Amino acid sequence: MDYLSQQQIKQFVFDVAFVGAASIDFDNQSLTIFNIEEGHMKNAIIQQSKKTYVVMSSDHFSYEGRFLFSKISNIDAIITDKKIQNNVKKAIKDANVGLLF
């Protein structure tokens, strides 16, 4: 995503944003993705949103994305299926992020 596109996103205010992520790096308290340009776009959207939800299937909690695109503290909740492990549930709770199924 080029600089102009990021600047255009900054002209908007979103009530709610739903974004995907490759994984969550709990050590760095960050959302990760593989494509750096997509990460820049998602970060810009998160910054312009009043509420942000990350949508991830449970198998993504074991992935390791290469690019950190936002801090977990910038999101309101994670939407996933019910198959997540208890240690992941605890890490999400410890990060003060909601968890929705």
Side-chain angles (χ1 to χ4, degrees), residues 28-81:
N28 289 311
Q29 294 290 299
S30 297
L31 303 169
T32 71
I33 201 151
F34 291 102
N35 182 302
I36 193 167
E37 291 177 2
E38 187 177 345
H40 286 301
M41 178 189 68
K42 289 180 181 197
N43 188 6
I45 290 168
I46 289 168
Q47 295 303 315
Q48 295 304 116
S49 299
K50 294 177 183 176
K51 289 205 174 271
T52 302
Y53 297 90
V54 172
V55 181
M56 293 176 56
S57 64
S58 61
D59 62 334
H60 281 236
F61 291 103
S62 62
Y63 290 176
E64 292 184 14
R66 300 292 177 234
F67 177 70
L68 306 175
F69 72 89
S70 180
K71 288 294 192 183
I72 296 172
S73 60
N74 293 332
I75 65 171
D76 295 286
I78 298 168
I79 301 171
T80 189
D81 50 27

